Amino acid sequence: IETPKVLKREEVEIPEEYKDKLSTSLFRYLAVKSGIDVQVSTTSFKIEAEQGKPQEMSDEDKAQDLLKTSENYLKKLEADGATNITVKREQFITPNAAQGMKTYGTMDIALTEQNSEPANYIMLLFRAENVRQQIILTWRGDDTYAVDIIKRITDSIELKPDEVVEDENDVR
């Protein structure tokens, strides 16, 4: 992912009951003046099946996990004071063909109890067996320059494939 500025690591509070089940790293760029917020997080799940092999998830399980994560993000927006949230969802495919879910729309962000301003958001979610990657972009609704910046960011997103390509001539 390419962003206007370097993303800085932020601490993530993980509830005590989940500390032995997952770990999360979060990197963020927040430009208060321009209203652009870029968050990139990776959550690793410590789930293993028999013989220490990673537990396999069906495509349906992955889709359900992404939908649940998307819904939790929308609840967080509401808890943080956002109102009039519109929600659209569609499949998102990166330039290197990684598939995920795109949740996006508009909202009003509370500045004070009486004042709010329009804003836009995009949440991109990707899921592999034991990893969920999440990219959240928010920006002011009336900023045409921000729209161009967000487009450049989303066009730059690529995920590294987790498949190991084996050499056909490798004889063991």
Side-chain angles (χ1 to χ4, degrees), residues 30-54:
L30 176 59
V32 177
K33 192 173 181 180
S34 66
I36 295 175
D37 187 5
V38 178
Q39 299 177 47
V40 178
S41 67
T42 301
T43 301
S44 299
F45 299 92
K46 300 170 186 168
I47 305 169
E48 295 188 354
E50 310 88 54
Q51 292 120 13
K53 294 181 182 176

PDB file of all heavy atoms in Angstrom, residues 30-54:
ATOM      1  N   LEU A  30      -2.856   9.767  10.424  1.00  0.00           N
ATOM      2  CA  LEU A  30      -4.007  10.613  10.701  1.00  0.00           C
ATOM      3  C   LEU A  30      -3.604  12.063  10.468  1.00  0.00           C
ATOM      4  O   LEU A  30      -2.735  12.589  11.165  1.00  0.00           O
ATOM      5  CB  LEU A  30      -4.490  10.424  12.139  1.00  0.00           C
ATOM      6  CG  LEU A  30      -5.632  11.328  12.595  1.00  0.00           C
ATOM      7  CD1 LEU A  30      -6.867  11.137  11.720  1.00  0.00           C
ATOM      8  CD2 LEU A  30      -5.968  11.069  14.057  1.00  0.00           C
ATOM      9  N   ALA A  31      -4.221  12.683   9.466  1.00  0.00           N
ATOM     10  CA  ALA A  31      -3.974  14.090   9.168  1.00  0.00           C
ATOM     11  C   ALA A  31      -5.192  14.875   9.644  1.00  0.00           C
ATOM     12  O   ALA A  31      -6.203  14.946   8.947  1.00  0.00           O
ATOM     13  CB  ALA A  31      -3.746  14.289   7.681  1.00  0.00           C
ATOM     14  N   VAL A  32      -5.089  15.426  10.833  1.00  0.00           N
ATOM     15  CA  VAL A  32      -6.224  16.125  11.431  1.00  0.00           C
ATOM     16  C   VAL A  32      -6.631  17.315  10.565  1.00  0.00           C
ATOM     17  O   VAL A  32      -7.822  17.540  10.316  1.00  0.00           O
ATOM     18  CB  VAL A  32      -5.882  16.583  12.875  1.00  0.00           C
ATOM     19  CG1 VAL A  32      -7.018  17.376  13.474  1.00  0.00           C
ATOM     20  CG2 VAL A  32      -5.551  15.381  13.735  1.00  0.00           C
ATOM     21  N   LYS A  33      -5.665  18.047  10.051  1.00  0.00           N
ATOM     22  CA  LYS A  33      -5.953  19.244   9.270  1.00  0.00           C
ATOM     23  C   LYS A  33      -6.730  18.923   7.994  1.00  0.00           C
ATOM     24  O   LYS A  33      -7.702  19.586   7.664  1.00  0.00           O
ATOM     25  CB  LYS A  33      -4.638  19.956   8.933  1.00  0.00           C
ATOM     26  CG  LYS A  33      -4.812  21.335   8.386  1.00  0.00           C
ATOM     27  CD  LYS A  33      -3.470  22.014   8.236  1.00  0.00           C
ATOM     28  CE  LYS A  33      -3.642  23.421   7.712  1.00  0.00           C
ATOM     29  NZ  LYS A  33      -2.363  24.106   7.547  1.00  0.00           N
ATOM     30  N   SER A  34      -6.305  17.866   7.292  1.00  0.00           N
ATOM     31  CA  SER A  34      -6.983  17.517   6.034  1.00  0.00           C
ATOM     32  C   SER A  34      -8.105  16.509   6.237  1.00  0.00           C
ATOM     33  O   SER A  34      -8.897  16.274   5.325  1.00  0.00           O
ATOM     34  CB  SER A  34      -5.977  16.969   5.024  1.00  0.00           C
ATOM     35  OG  SER A  34      -5.453  15.734   5.474  1.00  0.00           O
ATOM     36  N   GLY A  35      -8.187  15.897   7.410  1.00  0.00           N
ATOM     37  CA  GLY A  35      -9.269  14.973   7.694  1.00  0.00           C
ATOM     38  C   GLY A  35      -9.103  13.589   7.099  1.00  0.00           C
ATOM     39  O   GLY A  35     -10.055  12.824   7.023  1.00  0.00           O
ATOM     40  N   ILE A  36      -7.895  13.246   6.664  1.00  0.00           N
ATOM     41  CA  ILE A  36      -7.656  11.914   6.102  1.00  0.00           C
ATOM     42  C   ILE A  36      -7.124  11.001   7.192  1.00  0.00           C
ATOM     43  O   ILE A  36      -6.201  11.348   7.920  1.00  0.00           O
ATOM     44  CB  ILE A  36      -6.649  11.976   4.929  1.00  0.00           C
ATOM     45  CG1 ILE A  36      -7.254  12.772   3.772  1.00  0.00           C
ATOM     46  CG2 ILE A  36      -6.270  10.578   4.469  1.00  0.00           C
ATOM     47  CD1 ILE A  36      -6.300  12.998   2.613  1.00  0.00           C
ATOM     48  N   ASP A  37      -7.714   9.813   7.299  1.00  0.00           N
ATOM     49  CA  ASP A  37      -7.284   8.815   8.271  1.00  0.00           C
ATOM     50  C   ASP A  37      -7.074   7.501   7.533  1.00  0.00           C
ATOM     51  O   ASP A  37      -7.983   7.005   6.875  1.00  0.00           O
ATOM     52  CB  ASP A  37      -8.354   8.653   9.357  1.00  0.00           C
ATOM     53  CG  ASP A  37      -7.926   7.760  10.511  1.00  0.00           C
ATOM     54  OD1 ASP A  37      -6.758   7.312  10.542  1.00  0.00           O
ATOM     55  OD2 ASP A  37      -8.767   7.501  11.388  1.00  0.00           O
ATOM     56  N   VAL A  38      -5.865   6.956   7.622  1.00  0.00           N
ATOM     57  CA  VAL A  38      -5.517   5.688   6.975  1.00  0.00           C
ATOM     58  C   VAL A  38      -5.069   4.729   8.071  1.00  0.00           C
ATOM     59  O   VAL A  38      -4.136   5.033   8.809  1.00  0.00           O
ATOM     60  CB  VAL A  38      -4.371   5.865   5.946  1.00  0.00           C
ATOM     61  CG1 VAL A  38      -3.996   4.529   5.318  1.00  0.00           C
ATOM     62  CG2 VAL A  38      -4.736   6.887   4.885  1.00  0.00           C
ATOM     63  N   GLN A  39      -5.746   3.579   8.174  1.00  0.00           N
ATOM     64  CA  GLN A  39      -5.388   2.571   9.160  1.00  0.00           C
ATOM     65  C   GLN A  39      -5.200   1.234   8.456  1.00  0.00           C
ATOM     66  O   GLN A  39      -6.053   0.828   7.675  1.00  0.00           O
ATOM     67  CB  GLN A  39      -6.490   2.414  10.207  1.00  0.00           C
ATOM     68  CG  GLN A  39      -6.776   3.674  10.995  1.00  0.00           C
ATOM     69  CD  GLN A  39      -7.928   3.461  11.955  1.00  0.00           C
ATOM     70  OE1 GLN A  39      -7.974   2.476  12.670  1.00  0.00           O
ATOM     71  NE2 GLN A  39      -8.856   4.397  11.967  1.00  0.00           N
ATOM     72  N   VAL A  40      -4.096   0.585   8.755  1.00  0.00           N
ATOM     73  CA  VAL A  40      -3.821  -0.742   8.204  1.00  0.00           C
ATOM     74  C   VAL A  40      -3.528  -1.663   9.381  1.00  0.00           C
ATOM     75  O   VAL A  40      -2.622  -1.391  10.173  1.00  0.00           O
ATOM     76  CB  VAL A  40      -2.608  -0.717   7.241  1.00  0.00           C
ATOM     77  CG1 VAL A  40      -2.308  -2.104   6.721  1.00  0.00           C
ATOM     78  CG2 VAL A  40      -2.858   0.252   6.092  1.00  0.00           C
ATOM     79  N   SER A  41      -4.314  -2.735   9.499  1.00  0.00           N
ATOM     80  CA  SER A  41      -4.072  -3.655  10.612  1.00  0.00           C
ATOM     81  C   SER A  41      -4.052  -5.091  10.126  1.00  0.00           C
ATOM     82  O   SER A  41      -4.686  -5.443   9.141  1.00  0.00           O
ATOM     83  CB  SER A  41      -5.126  -3.485  11.707  1.00  0.00           C
ATOM     84  OG  SER A  41      -6.385  -3.892  11.248  1.00  0.00           O
ATOM     85  N   THR A  42      -3.288  -5.890  10.841  1.00  0.00           N
ATOM     86  CA  THR A  42      -3.200  -7.316  10.581  1.00  0.00           C
ATOM     87  C   THR A  42      -3.463  -8.033  11.895  1.00  0.00           C
ATOM     88  O   THR A  42      -2.818  -7.745  12.898  1.00  0.00           O
ATOM     89  CB  THR A  42      -1.808  -7.704  10.042  1.00  0.00           C
ATOM     90  OG1 THR A  42      -1.571  -6.967   8.842  1.00  0.00           O
ATOM     91  CG2 THR A  42      -1.715  -9.185   9.765  1.00  0.00           C
ATOM     92  N   THR A  43      -4.415  -8.950  11.864  1.00  0.00           N
ATOM     93  CA  THR A  43      -4.729  -9.755  13.037  1.00  0.00           C
ATOM     94  C   THR A  43      -4.349 -11.196  12.733  1.00  0.00           C
ATOM     95  O   THR A  43      -4.807 -11.759  11.737  1.00  0.00           O
ATOM     96  CB  THR A  43      -6.225  -9.666  13.391  1.00  0.00           C
ATOM     97  OG1 THR A  43      -6.547  -8.293  13.637  1.00  0.00           O
ATOM     98  CG2 THR A  43      -6.551 -10.507  14.618  1.00  0.00           C
ATOM     99  N   SER A  44      -3.506 -11.761  13.568  1.00  0.00           N
ATOM    100  CA  SER A  44      -3.099 -13.163  13.431  1.00  0.00           C
ATOM    101  C   SER A  44      -3.836 -13.970  14.483  1.00  0.00           C
ATOM    102  O   SER A  44      -3.825 -13.624  15.667  1.00  0.00           O
ATOM    103  CB  SER A  44      -1.595 -13.317  13.647  1.00  0.00           C
ATOM    104  OG  SER A  44      -0.899 -12.575  12.688  1.00  0.00           O
ATOM    105  N   PHE A  45      -4.472 -15.049  14.032  1.00  0.00           N
ATOM    106  CA  PHE A  45      -5.223 -15.918  14.929  1.00  0.00           C
ATOM    107  C   PHE A  45      -4.387 -17.143  15.259  1.00  0.00           C
ATOM    108  O   PHE A  45      -3.816 -17.762  14.363  1.00  0.00           O
ATOM    109  CB  PHE A  45      -6.541 -16.349  14.273  1.00  0.00           C
ATOM    110  CG  PHE A  45      -7.427 -15.185  13.948  1.00  0.00           C
ATOM    111  CD1 PHE A  45      -7.369 -14.586  12.708  1.00  0.00           C
ATOM    112  CD2 PHE A  45      -8.289 -14.674  14.897  1.00  0.00           C
ATOM    113  CE1 PHE A  45      -8.167 -13.499  12.399  1.00  0.00           C
ATOM    114  CE2 PHE A  45      -9.095 -13.585  14.606  1.00  0.00           C
ATOM    115  CZ  PHE A  45      -9.037 -12.992  13.357  1.00  0.00           C
ATOM    116  N   LYS A  46      -4.317 -17.462  16.536  1.00  0.00           N
ATOM    117  CA  LYS A  46      -3.531 -18.612  16.983  1.00  0.00           C
ATOM    118  C   LYS A  46      -4.460 -19.804  17.138  1.00  0.00           C
ATOM    119  O   LYS A  46      -4.749 -20.246  18.233  1.00  0.00           O
ATOM    120  CB  LYS A  46      -2.820 -18.272  18.286  1.00  0.00           C
ATOM    121  CG  LYS A  46      -1.888 -17.094  18.137  1.00  0.00           C
ATOM    122  CD  LYS A  46      -1.369 -16.608  19.459  1.00  0.00           C
ATOM    123  CE  LYS A  46      -0.566 -15.334  19.259  1.00  0.00           C
ATOM    124  NZ  LYS A  46      -0.278 -14.674  20.500  1.00  0.00           N
ATOM    125  N   ILE A  47      -4.947 -20.296  15.992  1.00  0.00           N
ATOM    126  CA  ILE A  47      -5.895 -21.407  15.967  1.00  0.00           C
ATOM    127  C   ILE A  47      -5.225 -22.583  15.287  1.00  0.00           C
ATOM    128  O   ILE A  47      -4.753 -22.462  14.161  1.00  0.00           O
ATOM    129  CB  ILE A  47      -7.169 -21.042  15.189  1.00  0.00           C
ATOM    130  CG1 ILE A  47      -7.792 -19.781  15.773  1.00  0.00           C
ATOM    131  CG2 ILE A  47      -8.149 -22.197  15.198  1.00  0.00           C
ATOM    132  CD1 ILE A  47      -8.898 -19.205  14.925  1.00  0.00           C
ATOM    133  N   GLU A  48      -5.175 -23.708  15.980  1.00  0.00           N
ATOM    134  CA  GLU A  48      -4.575 -24.895  15.386  1.00  0.00           C
ATOM    135  C   GLU A  48      -5.481 -26.097  15.552  1.00  0.00           C
ATOM    136  O   GLU A  48      -6.177 -26.232  16.543  1.00  0.00           O
ATOM    137  CB  GLU A  48      -3.205 -25.173  16.001  1.00  0.00           C
ATOM    138  CG  GLU A  48      -2.205 -24.082  15.689  1.00  0.00           C
ATOM    139  CD  GLU A  48      -0.806 -24.428  16.131  1.00  0.00           C
ATOM    140  OE1 GLU A  48      -0.616 -25.463  16.779  1.00  0.00           O
ATOM    141  OE2 GLU A  48       0.096 -23.642  15.830  1.00  0.00           O
ATOM    142  N   ALA A  49      -5.456 -26.928  14.548  1.00  0.00           N
ATOM    143  CA  ALA A  49      -6.216 -28.176  14.589  1.00  0.00           C
ATOM    144  C   ALA A  49      -5.286 -29.279  15.074  1.00  0.00           C
ATOM    145  O   ALA A  49      -4.260 -29.015  15.692  1.00  0.00           O
ATOM    146  CB  ALA A  49      -6.763 -28.488  13.199  1.00  0.00           C
ATOM    147  N   GLU A  50      -5.595 -30.511  14.747  1.00  0.00           N
ATOM    148  CA  GLU A  50      -4.761 -31.625  15.179  1.00  0.00           C
ATOM    149  C   GLU A  50      -3.345 -31.529  14.597  1.00  0.00           C
ATOM    150  O   GLU A  50      -3.139 -30.967  13.548  1.00  0.00           O
ATOM    151  CB  GLU A  50      -5.347 -32.974  14.716  1.00  0.00           C
ATOM    152  CG  GLU A  50      -6.787 -33.213  15.020  1.00  0.00           C
ATOM    153  CD  GLU A  50      -7.705 -32.689  13.930  1.00  0.00           C
ATOM    154  OE1 GLU A  50      -7.530 -33.048  12.760  1.00  0.00           O
ATOM    155  OE2 GLU A  50      -8.585 -31.894  14.259  1.00  0.00           O
ATOM    156  N   GLN A  51      -2.394 -32.082  15.275  1.00  0.00           N
ATOM    157  CA  GLN A  51      -0.984 -32.181  14.891  1.00  0.00           C
ATOM    158  C   GLN A  51      -0.341 -30.818  14.608  1.00  0.00           C
ATOM    159  O   GLN A  51       0.578 -30.709  13.823  1.00  0.00           O
ATOM    160  CB  GLN A  51      -0.807 -33.093  13.670  1.00  0.00           C
ATOM    161  CG  GLN A  51      -1.115 -34.542  13.968  1.00  0.00           C
ATOM    162  CD  GLN A  51      -2.251 -35.061  13.113  1.00  0.00           C
ATOM    163  OE1 GLN A  51      -2.651 -34.431  12.147  1.00  0.00           O
ATOM    164  NE2 GLN A  51      -2.780 -36.204  13.472  1.00  0.00           N
ATOM    165  N   GLY A  52      -0.859 -29.752  15.213  1.00  0.00           N
ATOM    166  CA  GLY A  52      -0.228 -28.449  15.097  1.00  0.00           C
ATOM    167  C   GLY A  52      -0.369 -27.768  13.751  1.00  0.00           C
ATOM    168  O   GLY A  52       0.270 -26.764  13.494  1.00  0.00           O
ATOM    169  N   LYS A  53      -1.210 -28.285  12.875  1.00  0.00           N
ATOM    170  CA  LYS A  53      -1.413 -27.659  11.569  1.00  0.00           C
ATOM    171  C   LYS A  53      -2.459 -26.553  11.703  1.00  0.00           C
ATOM    172  O   LYS A  53      -3.385 -26.672  12.507  1.00  0.00           O
ATOM    173  CB  LYS A  53      -1.886 -28.695  10.537  1.00  0.00           C
ATOM    174  CG  LYS A  53      -0.851 -29.740  10.223  1.00  0.00           C
ATOM    175  CD  LYS A  53      -1.375 -30.695   9.189  1.00  0.00           C
ATOM    176  CE  LYS A  53      -0.343 -31.777   8.917  1.00  0.00           C
ATOM    177  NZ  LYS A  53      -0.848 -32.784   7.996  1.00  0.00           N
ATOM    178  N   PRO A  54      -2.328 -25.480  10.897  1.00  0.00           N
ATOM    179  CA  PRO A  54      -3.336 -24.418  10.966  1.00  0.00           C
ATOM    180  C   PRO A  54      -4.728 -24.957  10.611  1.00  0.00           C
ATOM    181  O   PRO A  54      -4.864 -25.808   9.745  1.00  0.00           O
ATOM    182  CB  PRO A  54      -2.877 -23.416   9.904  1.00  0.00           C
ATOM    183  CG  PRO A  54      -1.443 -23.720   9.665  1.00  0.00           C
ATOM    184  CD  PRO A  54      -1.268 -25.178   9.952  1.00  0.00           C
TER     185      PRO A  54
END
